[in-house]
Structures are given as C-alpha cells and as structure tokens.
Amino acid sequence: MNIGEIASRAGVSRSTVSYALSGKRSVSDATRKRIQDVIDELGYRPNAAARALKEGRTRTIGLVIPPASRRLTHMQLGFVASVVEAAARADLDVLLSPSGGDHDRSFERLLSGGRVDGAILMEIRLEDSRVRRLQGAKLPFVGIGHTARAHEMCWIDVDYATVISQCVHHLADLGHQRIALVNRSVELVAAGYGPGHRARDGFTAALAQRGIQGIDLECGDDAAAGLECATRLLRDHPEVTAIATINEAALPGIQRGLEEAGLAVPRDFSITGVVGRTWAEEFRPPLTAADVPAQDIGTQAMDLLLERIADPTTPFRNILLAPPVSLRGSTGPVRAG
C-alpha cells in the first residue's frame, strides 16, 4: 500500500495525502479525517521518509566505516552490528559510508543534502580531518574512538594504553622478560591511528615499570601479514617469548607462524591482547585477553548520538573503558632453559 492508493480511495490528490502526513500545509479537518479513515482501514504505516517529513528529520543516521577495500575485523563488525541493532530499536535506519582512500566522496555525500540526522565515526585518528569536517557541518556525531583533543567531541573508546599495560604486567608476572607488541598496520600507525599510538604508549610504560625489554612491530590486518610478522619476529628476535597485540585479524597467521616454528601455545610461547570476546573464546587455545565489549560500545555510541541529536548544545560526554584481562589458555609461565 502506498500514498497513491490512499489518495485514490480517499478521493484526493497524492500531494494532499503527503501534506496530511507531513503537516507541511494545512488540510481541512474533513479531508484529513477521510485520509486517516483510509489509512486505518488499510493498516498503512508511513515509511521512514514520511515520518521524517512530519518530524523535520530523516530518521537515518550515518555510520562511517573503514574503506570498503579493507576487510572489517571481527571487532569492527561487532561495532557495526551493535549500532544497527541499537538504531533498529530506536526505529532508525542506518546509512553505511566508507571513508578514506577513494571513498571521500561517499563521506561528503553523507554530510550534504540533509541525508542523515547524525553520524557515528569509527577508526579515528589523533588528527582526523573527518572530525573537523563534521564539526564544520554542525552535524551531531559521536566517535568510537577519539582524537588527540578529546574534550572537543563526544566519544566512547577503549583505554588501549591501560589494557595493553595490563597485558604486559600479566606476562611479566609469568616471568616473561622479552615481549613483542604486534600493532596494527604501518599505514594506519603512520596516519595517526589512535589505538595504535595509545597501545604503544602503554606498552612502553609497562616495560619501563617492570624493567623488561620489548619490541614494537606493525602488522597488516590479515592472516598472511600475521604469518609474515611472526616468522620475522622469531627469526630476528628469538629471545622473545610472548606477544601482546591489538591486531586480532593477524592472530590466525601469528598462530600458524608459531606452529611452523614448532612452538606450542602456551608451553613455549604466550599470546595475549585486546580483542572481541567472541574472537578470544573461539581462538585455540582460548585467548587470554582484555575483551572489548563491542555490543555495549555500539549501543552506548547510539545512546550518545541520540542525546546530541535531541539537544546538540549538551556538553560532550566521554566514556573510556578499560576491560580487565580475562585469563584463558594462551598464556603460561616462561619456559626454563
């Protein structure tokens, strides 16, 4: 059932039905009642666009994701799914918009023409032109992540410095004296990817606190890169006995590299890091990790965005999460000898 059929049954024009639904122009009480009677009889439910006309909003939010050329990690997919679910509960639609690389035009289209009421931005850098563009457009937005100027925007994020520090302390407590941080890709870290830099800071600080040594390695976001990274690490730094990582997509390759070197986890080598809970539990052996609550983060990001859409003048809220390290089966005492 559509507006045209309602107009035909009510004996009015399509534009009159639109005006009655949107409230943009006056319609006589008798005509409005006739239209409403047809709507009630047919069980018509106005779509999001019609409701938006009445409310002055699109009832659509934008979700700005990494470039389409990159495979989303398990954690990133968790963010996307939780935002979409939270939007559905609020009776909102979600418009996905890749950004970066060749996708900047998609991001610009998101900002133009009043297509969305607000946006959630993922994969934020310390200096992020997208944040400045959203601020300039005066579009309500929330970050999953934050820039170096945390007070200038509304965001929810994981405290990567703290959780990686916790991972290092856990490994040090087990006797590990040589630890590697497997970070995200060279390109991301060089571009100022916030979690990569904060994880490195936490890693360096924890090493100093414990008086142990470490190495920081960038690694691409896939299994092949993880295999290459592990192979290179074991060849160039055979003294390393444990890894802490924020790169969950590289983990299958890292595990394969250890297996090919004849190293068993956790008997010969320990692995921990910051990953999504599902990923950690499905890893073999189950991964000792700080579990990122992707579902909660997406839901809270949506709540923050709805607050800003309702009142853009409200003070910025910042939520920083530091999930504890959940002990599973991938870490153990350093092997003697």
Side-chain angles (χ1 to χ4, degrees):
M1 181 59 59
N2 56 40
I3 288 178
E5 292 171 282
I6 293 171
S8 177
R9 292 220 183 189
V12 299
S13 68
R14 290 172 59 94
S15 60
T16 299
V17 175
S18 294
Y19 296 149
L21 290 173
S22 67
K24 292 293 185 181
R25 293 189 185 180
S26 61
V27 175
S28 71
D29 291 342
T31 300
R32 186 183 299 278
K33 183 178 184 305
R34 193 159 70 248
I35 292 171
Q36 189 61 53
D37 287 345
V38 172
I39 288 174
D40 293 341
E41 177 188 350
L42 299 176
Y44 174 76
R45 184 172 183 268
N47 61 23
R51 295 196 305 275
L53 286 173
K54 187 172 183 178
E55 298 171 7
R57 294 178 178 168
T58 67
R59 297 202 63 81
T60 299
I61 65 108
L63 178 57
V64 184
I65 61 176
S69 58
R70 282 174 42 198
R71 178 182 298 179
L72 295 182
T73 67
H74 194 282
M75 190 187 305
Q76 290 167 343
L77 288 171
F79 292 148
V80 172
S82 61
V83 167
V84 170
E85 290 172 7
R89 289 194 295 271
D91 198 24
L92 299 173
D93 295 323
V94 177
L95 177 63
L96 294 181
S97 173
S99 67
D102 298 327
H103 302 284
D104 286 338
R105 285 180 296 178
S106 174
F107 178 65
E108 288 300 321
R109 285 196 299 271
L110 183 76
L111 300 180
S112 64
R115 302 178 72 189
V116 296
D117 298 323
I120 293 176
L121 186 63
M122 293 172 54
E123 297 284 284
I124 297 180
R125 295 164 181 157
L126 298 176
E127 299 292 335
D128 201 311
S129 61
R130 300 169 304 170
V131 169
R132 293 194 297 274
R133 184 72 180 86
L134 285 161
Q135 291 168 334
K138 300 189 183 305
L139 182 72
F141 75 97
V142 170
I144 297 180
H146 63 287
T147 67
R149 290 177 292 279
H151 64 284
E152 293 185 356
M153 60 180 285
C154 186
W155 52 265
I156 181 169
D157 202 358
V158 172
D159 187 348
Y160 281 92
T162 293
V163 292
I164 281 295
S165 176
Q166 292 172 349
C167 290
V168 171
H169 284 294
H170 167 63
L171 293 171
D173 288 343
L174 292 170
H176 295 277
Q177 298 292 306
R178 305 289 188 275
I179 302 170
L181 171 66
V182 176
N183 212 319
R184 298 289 294 276
S185 70
V186 172
E187 294 80 11
L188 265 180
V189 175
Y193 176 62
H197 284 261
R198 295 180 183 110
R200 178 186 289 165
D201 291 343
F203 181 70
T204 302
L207 293 177
Q209 290 169 3
R210 299 304 293 258
I212 60 179
Q213 297 181 356
I215 180 172
D216 177 22
L217 300 173
E218 284 90 15
C219 179
D221 295 340
D222 56 54
L227 173 59
E228 191 278 331
C229 180
T231 301
R232 175 164 44 93
L233 172 66
L234 296 174
R235 182 192 66 222
D236 298 343
H237 302 277
E239 73 282 2
V240 169
T241 60
I243 282 173
T245 185
I246 63 169
N247 192 332
E248 65 177 16
L251 276 170
I254 292 172
Q255 185 178 40
R256 181 180 171 187
L258 295 173
E259 290 173 350
E260 290 183 356
L263 298 176
V265 175
R267 185 193 67 197
D268 305 312
F269 203 96
S270 290
I271 306 176
T272 185
V274 186
V275 303
R277 179 176 180 178
T278 301
W279 186 271
E281 293 177 340
E282 292 178 352
F283 194 76
R284 288 296 174 265
L287 193 72
T288 292
D291 302 339
V292 175
Q295 181 73 34
D296 292 342
I297 288 175
T299 299
Q300 290 187 68
M302 177 60 69
D303 290 343
L304 291 173
L305 181 60
L306 291 176
E307 288 179 7
R308 297 212 61 74
I309 291 173
D311 184 2
T313 66
T314 57
F316 294 130
R317 290 180 56 197
N318 303 147
I319 301 174
L320 191 60
L321 305 176
V325 174
S326 296
L327 302 180
R328 298 190 178 93
S330 66
T331 56
V334 65
R335 191 174 184 182

